[in-house]
Amino acid sequence: MKSFTYERAKTPAEAASAAARIPNAKFIAGGTNLLDLMKLQIETPTHLIDVNHLALDTIETTAEGGLRIGALVRNTDLAADPRVRRDYGILARALLAGASGQLRNKATTAGNLLQRTRCPYFYDTNQPCNKRNPGSGCAAIGGFSRPHAVMGVSDACIASHPSDMAVAMRALDAVVETVKPDGSQRSIPIAELYRLPGDTPHIETTLAPGELIVAVTLPKPVGGKHTYHKVRDRASYAFALISVGAIVKEDGTGRVALGGLAPKPWRVEAADAELSSGAKAVTTKLLAGAKTTRENAFKLPLVERTLSAVLDEARR
Amino acid sequence: MRNPSEFELSRRKMLIGAAATSVTAAAPTRGSAQSADGASPAKTQVNATSKVSITVNGQVRSLDVDTRTTLLDALRENLHLTGTKKGCDHGQCGACTVMIEGRRINSCLTLAVMHEGDRVTTIEGLGTPDNLHPMQAAFVKHDGYQCGYCTPGQICSAVAVLDEISAGIPSHVSADLLAAPEATAAELRERMSGNICRCGAYSNIVDAVTEVAGRKA
């Protein structure tokens, strides 16, 4: 790990301002992804701003009847919150499908959204990777690409976003609240948080330098049956090959979001409209324009079959 | 008695030497992930230490550590509490599991300086050879290990798992998110999945934890 200086931030605005002012600074919250990457020198910040003491660790009911989740709420606490378990089952299920008990105790809501890909070539510093080292090339294209993305990919990068939680947040139309270095605040719908790789895969979000996520807000509950089905190589503690999160109402309408398939949680509103027509119709819309490799083409039929199972479960 | 730090110093010197060699070898191919920010972090040398005070197994311990020191390394190298083990050092194996304020975490994936004032419980704080914690006694009785390297992490994790079940925290295999979870074998296997055992003592570990859960109920 490269050396770094360390400070504890006292307010969100102060933290954002310091992050923009100090060159090569990074926020640290749970640290479960950042420290892993720092040990491998994939991330090499020279200054860490510890945001753990910013009192952003509560879940409050909003005036609209939704929930405002502090950026520092730990994954375990979010999944265990009685309101989340009752009204946002897809979110609780997605959280519990991810990582291990130890990691969920430490990982935060904002950190989960901003975690980086687990593409093996991003992790291997001996390999070219446009995300890690812009312009160096992509070893995944033409390489081992079984876990990689098939939607939203480019010739520069086929890495997938690893988060389960973000898939549920996308299905729930969550809104990310931030503080900018100048102290101003803004709200970003989660649909607009992530950027597709294009020819700049190292720029992953629409956040400005130094901009700090302070909360994630959920609209009021939409009802329906919530499911999150994750398909992976182990029964527990593995990243998704694919995952399907769905909210299905009694009349058969609802929403679907996918994980493990794209550089961001994948949802196509036009596909939601097909939900009452069945899995095939939805999948056709969701995966239109898919770009597969020989090793990850299996993901397309797997999505349809998993969605079919999810819809059967919802009707039960 | 021999001063434990003498051994430690020579061992560390050797490790530092080995680390420096591998860094040199890796340097030419290392990517500059931050080059888009206009900074050149690889050339910047920062020497940073920080004071931190952590309550470990009920005792306040004050340390002056390099900011890079993980909680795991602080426990093992600075405080000589070598019960907590370093397995993968990347949060994948669970050997380094300790409890902070009663919650289990991977001590390899957190920095010591981030834990000012926190209360840490390690395997040394759970029980002693003469006065075993019930979970330790159950692991011995059910032969919940072979080589024993993952065992301190398994035991710390298991103690916290039973607390999590008592607190009503659901898991991936809980059929009903709103019902109180029970310490079934399926629940224990899922909840313990962050602790890997290379010897494959899993079934005996489940037996040990089940027995302690039964005593509690």
Side-chain angles (χ1 to χ4, degrees):
Chain A
M1 208 186 300
K2 291 286 178 184
S3 301
F4 54 84
T5 47
Y6 168 88
E7 72 171 280
R8 275 182 211 111
K10 292 189 182 65
T11 67
E14 204 181 287
S17 161
R21 189 180 67 248
I22 302 166
N24 204 23
K26 273 209 173 283
F27 302 122
I28 188 164
T32 53
N33 187 214
L34 180 60
L35 287 168
D36 181 25
L37 295 169
M38 284 169 66
K39 287 180 182 193
L40 297 165
Q41 296 190 17
I42 294 164
E43 296 272 13
T44 51
T46 47
H47 185 71
L48 283 187
I49 301 162
D50 184 347
V51 295
N52 280 295
H53 303 277
L54 296 184
L56 302 171
D57 57 355
T58 57
I59 306 173
E60 289 151 21
T61 307
T62 64
E64 294 75 34
L67 288 183
R68 186 174 185 274
I69 303 157
L72 292 169
V73 172
R74 308 289 154 168
N75 289 178
T76 297
D77 298 321
L78 185 55
D81 185 276
R83 295 161 293 186
V84 173
R85 286 151 69 181
R86 188 187 64 217
D87 299 327
Y88 304 96
I90 186 174
L91 178 57
R93 287 289 179 201
L95 283 159
L96 295 171
S100 66
Q102 290 95 316
L103 291 168
R104 291 192 296 270
N105 277 343
K106 206 89 180 77
T108 63
T109 305
N112 188 314
L113 290 176
L114 298 180
Q115 67 179 302
R116 308 206 60 195
T117 185
R118 295 326 193 272
C119 170
Y121 300 104
F122 174 70
Y123 265 77
D124 182 350
T125 50
N126 291 309
Q127 298 283 342
C129 170
N130 287 320
K131 194 185 273 299
R132 170 168 39 74
N133 188 9
S136 62
C138 173
I141 297 172
F144 168 75
S145 56
R146 185 168 174 269
H148 290 78
V150 298
M151 303 302 300
V153 296
S154 73
D155 291 339
C157 183
I158 60 168
S160 63
H161 197 270
S163 173
D164 292 298
M165 185 196 79
V167 176
M169 292 291 195
R170 180 68 182 88
L172 291 166
D173 287 327
V175 175
V176 173
E177 290 178 28
T178 69
V179 169
K180 286 187 164 183
D182 64 5
S184 65
Q185 300 178 17
R186 68 163 171 158
S187 297
I188 308 168
I190 190 159
E192 293 161 27
L193 177 67
Y194 298 104
R195 293 165 49 115
L196 291 178
D199 54 7
T200 54
H202 57 293
I203 306 172
E204 295 172 350
T205 69
T206 53
L207 296 175
E211 190 169 5
L212 177 72
I213 297 177
V214 291
V216 177
T217 303
L218 299 179
K220 71 176 195 306
V222 294
K225 181 131 182 183
H226 290 221
T227 50
Y228 186 80
H229 198 113
K230 180 174 180 177
V231 183
R232 46 185 161 175
D233 285 334
R234 293 193 298 248
S236 182
Y237 198 20
F239 288 96
L241 290 169
I242 65 139
S243 67
V244 176
I247 302 173
V248 183
K249 297 186 182 177
E250 277 201 21
D251 63 5
T253 64
R255 312 154 173 209
V256 179
L258 306 175
L261 278 172
K264 62 179 188 179
W266 196 253
R267 183 174 169 205
V268 176
E269 270 77 357
D272 290 352
E274 300 285 341
L275 210 56
S276 47
S277 314
K280 192 171 185 62
V282 180
T283 308
T284 302
K285 284 257 161 69
L286 268 173
L287 301 183
K291 202 174 164 193
T292 59
T293 67
R294 197 166 50 87
E295 292 186 352
N296 68 16
F298 74 93
K299 290 190 175 192
L300 304 186
L302 187 56
V303 167
E304 186 182 328
R305 290 170 195 163
T306 308
L307 179 60
S308 183
V310 163
L311 295 180
D312 279 351
E313 191 186 320
R315 285 191 202 101
R316 250 180 258 140
Chain B
M1 214 179 103
R2 193 163 140 260
N3 181 354
S5 65
E6 283 171 26
F7 164 71
E8 194 219 16
L9 273 176
S10 60
R11 186 166 136 268
R12 285 182 90 184
K13 264 185 199 160
M14 192 184 78
L15 290 173
I16 288 163
T21 311
S22 67
V23 166
T24 313
T29 47
R30 235 200 78 235
S32 53
Q34 312 295 329
S35 61
D37 307 336
S40 183
K43 288 178 189 130
T44 319
Q45 269 307 316
V46 184
N47 288 315
T49 59
S50 191
K51 285 191 189 345
V52 64
S53 216
I54 308 172
T55 302
V56 182
N57 300 329
Q59 266 186 295
V60 179
R61 309 295 296 263
S62 294
L63 298 167
D64 194 355
V65 291
D66 187 304
T67 50
R68 291 172 288 184
T69 311
T70 60
L71 178 61
L72 172 62
D73 284 343
L75 292 170
R76 288 182 56 85
E77 306 294 333
N78 297 72
L79 299 176
H80 306 293
L81 291 168
T82 52
T84 307
K85 298 293 188 262
K86 182 182 282 193
C88 69
D89 209 24
H90 286 276
Q92 298 175 357
C93 76
C96 68
T97 303
V98 301
M99 288 178 276
I100 296 189
E101 308 293 333
R103 290 167 65 120
R104 58 182 171 144
I105 64 147
N106 300 113
S107 62
C108 73
L109 283 188
T110 194
L111 298 170
V113 292
M114 294 165 72
H115 292 285
E116 175 66 37
D118 282 354
R119 283 175 300 172
V120 178
T121 305
T122 70
I123 190 72
E124 290 93 342
L126 282 181
T128 62
D130 301 325
N131 184 23
L132 295 177
H133 183 280
M135 192 65 78
Q136 291 172 313
F139 268 66
V140 172
K141 179 180 163 189
H142 291 276
D143 211 10
Y145 47 77
Q146 273 185 44
C147 80
Y149 195 80
C150 72
T151 311
Q154 298 276 3
I155 290 175
C156 284
S157 199
V159 168
V161 159
L162 295 187
D163 289 343
E164 287 165 16
I165 291 173
S166 301
I169 295 171
S171 87
H172 174 62
V173 298
S174 306
D176 182 353
L177 282 177
L178 299 174
E182 289 175 33
T184 61
E187 284 282 0
L188 296 178
R189 285 176 183 277
E190 161 61 23
R191 290 169 190 264
M192 293 294 289
S193 71
N195 291 83
I196 311 296
C197 172
R198 173 65 179 76
C199 304
Y202 296 113
S203 59
N204 292 356
I205 292 171
V206 170
D207 289 348
V209 184
T210 300
E211 179 177 304
V212 179
R215 273 193 210 147
K216 268 191 155 183

PDB file of all heavy atoms in Angstrom, chain B residues 120-136:
ATOM      1  N   VAL B 120     -12.752  -3.342  20.758  1.00  0.00           N
ATOM      2  CA  VAL B 120     -12.487  -4.503  19.905  1.00  0.00           C
ATOM      3  C   VAL B 120     -12.407  -5.757  20.772  1.00  0.00           C
ATOM      4  O   VAL B 120     -11.783  -5.741  21.837  1.00  0.00           O
ATOM      5  CB  VAL B 120     -11.150  -4.314  19.137  1.00  0.00           C
ATOM      6  CG1 VAL B 120     -10.836  -5.534  18.280  1.00  0.00           C
ATOM      7  CG2 VAL B 120     -11.198  -3.056  18.283  1.00  0.00           C
ATOM      8  N   THR B 121     -13.063  -6.813  20.339  1.00  0.00           N
ATOM      9  CA  THR B 121     -12.939  -8.104  21.013  1.00  0.00           C
ATOM     10  C   THR B 121     -12.295  -9.095  20.054  1.00  0.00           C
ATOM     11  O   THR B 121     -12.778  -9.303  18.943  1.00  0.00           O
ATOM     12  CB  THR B 121     -14.318  -8.645  21.449  1.00  0.00           C
ATOM     13  OG1 THR B 121     -14.957  -7.658  22.248  1.00  0.00           O
ATOM     14  CG2 THR B 121     -14.170  -9.928  22.253  1.00  0.00           C
ATOM     15  N   THR B 122     -11.193  -9.690  20.478  1.00  0.00           N
ATOM     16  CA  THR B 122     -10.522 -10.713  19.682  1.00  0.00           C
ATOM     17  C   THR B 122     -10.725 -12.067  20.361  1.00  0.00           C
ATOM     18  O   THR B 122     -11.297 -12.154  21.452  1.00  0.00           O
ATOM     19  CB  THR B 122      -9.005 -10.444  19.571  1.00  0.00           C
ATOM     20  OG1 THR B 122      -8.419 -10.671  20.859  1.00  0.00           O
ATOM     21  CG2 THR B 122      -8.725  -9.013  19.125  1.00  0.00           C
ATOM     22  N   ILE B 123     -10.211 -13.112  19.736  1.00  0.00           N
ATOM     23  CA  ILE B 123     -10.333 -14.454  20.311  1.00  0.00           C
ATOM     24  C   ILE B 123      -9.745 -14.491  21.732  1.00  0.00           C
ATOM     25  O   ILE B 123     -10.264 -15.187  22.608  1.00  0.00           O
ATOM     26  CB  ILE B 123      -9.666 -15.502  19.383  1.00  0.00           C
ATOM     27  CG1 ILE B 123      -9.985 -16.934  19.815  1.00  0.00           C
ATOM     28  CG2 ILE B 123      -8.157 -15.302  19.284  1.00  0.00           C
ATOM     29  CD1 ILE B 123     -11.395 -17.375  19.543  1.00  0.00           C
ATOM     30  N   GLU B 124      -8.688 -13.684  21.977  1.00  0.00           N
ATOM     31  CA  GLU B 124      -8.065 -13.668  23.311  1.00  0.00           C
ATOM     32  C   GLU B 124      -9.021 -13.085  24.360  1.00  0.00           C
ATOM     33  O   GLU B 124      -8.880 -13.353  25.549  1.00  0.00           O
ATOM     34  CB  GLU B 124      -6.777 -12.841  23.298  1.00  0.00           C
ATOM     35  CG  GLU B 124      -5.621 -13.458  22.525  1.00  0.00           C
ATOM     36  CD  GLU B 124      -5.543 -13.012  21.080  1.00  0.00           C
ATOM     37  OE1 GLU B 124      -6.552 -12.499  20.549  1.00  0.00           O
ATOM     38  OE2 GLU B 124      -4.463 -13.189  20.458  1.00  0.00           O
ATOM     39  N   GLY B 125      -9.978 -12.268  23.892  1.00  0.00           N
ATOM     40  CA  GLY B 125     -10.917 -11.642  24.817  1.00  0.00           C
ATOM     41  C   GLY B 125     -12.166 -12.473  25.068  1.00  0.00           C
ATOM     42  O   GLY B 125     -12.969 -12.155  25.946  1.00  0.00           O
ATOM     43  N   LEU B 126     -12.341 -13.532  24.293  1.00  0.00           N
ATOM     44  CA  LEU B 126     -13.543 -14.365  24.484  1.00  0.00           C
ATOM     45  C   LEU B 126     -13.357 -15.342  25.638  1.00  0.00           C
ATOM     46  O   LEU B 126     -14.242 -15.524  26.454  1.00  0.00           O
ATOM     47  CB  LEU B 126     -13.855 -15.146  23.202  1.00  0.00           C
ATOM     48  CG  LEU B 126     -14.539 -14.369  22.066  1.00  0.00           C
ATOM     49  CD1 LEU B 126     -14.785 -15.302  20.882  1.00  0.00           C
ATOM     50  CD2 LEU B 126     -15.856 -13.752  22.513  1.00  0.00           C
ATOM     51  N   GLY B 127     -12.212 -16.002  25.673  1.00  0.00           N
ATOM     52  CA  GLY B 127     -11.976 -16.987  26.730  1.00  0.00           C
ATOM     53  C   GLY B 127     -10.492 -17.248  26.878  1.00  0.00           C
ATOM     54  O   GLY B 127      -9.690 -16.732  26.086  1.00  0.00           O
ATOM     55  N   THR B 128     -10.134 -18.033  27.881  1.00  0.00           N
ATOM     56  CA  THR B 128      -8.738 -18.402  28.091  1.00  0.00           C
ATOM     57  C   THR B 128      -8.663 -19.934  28.108  1.00  0.00           C
ATOM     58  O   THR B 128      -9.696 -20.596  28.262  1.00  0.00           O
ATOM     59  CB  THR B 128      -8.210 -17.864  29.437  1.00  0.00           C
ATOM     60  OG1 THR B 128      -8.974 -18.470  30.488  1.00  0.00           O
ATOM     61  CG2 THR B 128      -8.333 -16.351  29.513  1.00  0.00           C
ATOM     62  N   PRO B 129      -7.460 -20.497  27.993  1.00  0.00           N
ATOM     63  CA  PRO B 129      -7.359 -21.969  28.018  1.00  0.00           C
ATOM     64  C   PRO B 129      -8.000 -22.582  29.265  1.00  0.00           C
ATOM     65  O   PRO B 129      -8.549 -23.687  29.206  1.00  0.00           O
ATOM     66  CB  PRO B 129      -5.851 -22.209  27.986  1.00  0.00           C
ATOM     67  CG  PRO B 129      -5.311 -21.026  27.236  1.00  0.00           C
ATOM     68  CD  PRO B 129      -6.168 -19.867  27.661  1.00  0.00           C
ATOM     69  N   ASP B 130      -7.957 -21.854  30.374  1.00  0.00           N
ATOM     70  CA  ASP B 130      -8.538 -22.403  31.606  1.00  0.00           C
ATOM     71  C   ASP B 130     -10.026 -22.081  31.745  1.00  0.00           C
ATOM     72  O   ASP B 130     -10.710 -22.633  32.603  1.00  0.00           O
ATOM     73  CB  ASP B 130      -7.804 -21.832  32.834  1.00  0.00           C
ATOM     74  CG  ASP B 130      -6.331 -22.168  32.790  1.00  0.00           C
ATOM     75  OD1 ASP B 130      -6.014 -23.273  32.297  1.00  0.00           O
ATOM     76  OD2 ASP B 130      -5.511 -21.320  33.212  1.00  0.00           O
ATOM     77  N   ASN B 131     -10.477 -21.123  30.959  1.00  0.00           N
ATOM     78  CA  ASN B 131     -11.858 -20.679  31.103  1.00  0.00           C
ATOM     79  C   ASN B 131     -12.414 -20.376  29.716  1.00  0.00           C
ATOM     80  O   ASN B 131     -12.565 -19.230  29.324  1.00  0.00           O
ATOM     81  CB  ASN B 131     -11.898 -19.436  32.016  1.00  0.00           C
ATOM     82  CG  ASN B 131     -13.315 -18.982  32.290  1.00  0.00           C
ATOM     83  OD1 ASN B 131     -14.258 -19.770  32.180  1.00  0.00           O
ATOM     84  ND2 ASN B 131     -13.472 -17.704  32.604  1.00  0.00           N
ATOM     85  N   LEU B 132     -12.699 -21.442  28.980  1.00  0.00           N
ATOM     86  CA  LEU B 132     -13.109 -21.298  27.587  1.00  0.00           C
ATOM     87  C   LEU B 132     -14.478 -20.638  27.471  1.00  0.00           C
ATOM     88  O   LEU B 132     -15.362 -20.858  28.303  1.00  0.00           O
ATOM     89  CB  LEU B 132     -13.154 -22.664  26.896  1.00  0.00           C
ATOM     90  CG  LEU B 132     -11.843 -23.427  26.732  1.00  0.00           C
ATOM     91  CD1 LEU B 132     -12.116 -24.794  26.083  1.00  0.00           C
ATOM     92  CD2 LEU B 132     -10.854 -22.635  25.893  1.00  0.00           C
ATOM     93  N   HIS B 133     -14.630 -19.847  26.423  1.00  0.00           N
ATOM     94  CA  HIS B 133     -15.955 -19.363  26.040  1.00  0.00           C
ATOM     95  C   HIS B 133     -16.752 -20.588  25.581  1.00  0.00           C
ATOM     96  O   HIS B 133     -16.168 -21.526  25.022  1.00  0.00           O
ATOM     97  CB  HIS B 133     -15.787 -18.348  24.890  1.00  0.00           C
ATOM     98  CG  HIS B 133     -17.066 -17.719  24.446  1.00  0.00           C
ATOM     99  ND1 HIS B 133     -17.949 -18.342  23.601  1.00  0.00           N
ATOM    100  CD2 HIS B 133     -17.617 -16.500  24.727  1.00  0.00           C
ATOM    101  CE1 HIS B 133     -18.991 -17.540  23.382  1.00  0.00           C
ATOM    102  NE2 HIS B 133     -18.811 -16.415  24.052  1.00  0.00           N
ATOM    103  N   PRO B 134     -18.074 -20.605  25.810  1.00  0.00           N
ATOM    104  CA  PRO B 134     -18.865 -21.780  25.393  1.00  0.00           C
ATOM    105  C   PRO B 134     -18.654 -22.142  23.924  1.00  0.00           C
ATOM    106  O   PRO B 134     -18.662 -23.330  23.570  1.00  0.00           O
ATOM    107  CB  PRO B 134     -20.311 -21.331  25.639  1.00  0.00           C
ATOM    108  CG  PRO B 134     -20.212 -20.297  26.718  1.00  0.00           C
ATOM    109  CD  PRO B 134     -18.891 -19.614  26.528  1.00  0.00           C
ATOM    110  N   MET B 135     -18.427 -21.135  23.061  1.00  0.00           N
ATOM    111  CA  MET B 135     -18.227 -21.437  21.642  1.00  0.00           C
ATOM    112  C   MET B 135     -16.879 -22.142  21.442  1.00  0.00           C
ATOM    113  O   MET B 135     -16.764 -23.073  20.638  1.00  0.00           O
ATOM    114  CB  MET B 135     -18.297 -20.166  20.795  1.00  0.00           C
ATOM    115  CG  MET B 135     -18.376 -20.420  19.297  1.00  0.00           C
ATOM    116  SD  MET B 135     -19.897 -21.266  18.783  1.00  0.00           S
ATOM    117  CE  MET B 135     -21.073 -19.906  18.834  1.00  0.00           C
ATOM    118  N   GLN B 136     -15.867 -21.703  22.188  1.00  0.00           N
ATOM    119  CA  GLN B 136     -14.566 -22.372  22.097  1.00  0.00           C
ATOM    120  C   GLN B 136     -14.686 -23.824  22.571  1.00  0.00           C
ATOM    121  O   GLN B 136     -14.176 -24.744  21.926  1.00  0.00           O
ATOM    122  CB  GLN B 136     -13.531 -21.629  22.952  1.00  0.00           C
ATOM    123  CG  GLN B 136     -13.162 -20.256  22.382  1.00  0.00           C
ATOM    124  CD  GLN B 136     -12.283 -19.450  23.321  1.00  0.00           C
ATOM    125  OE1 GLN B 136     -12.580 -19.352  24.520  1.00  0.00           O
ATOM    126  NE2 GLN B 136     -11.222 -18.857  22.781  1.00  0.00           N
TER     127      GLN B 136
END
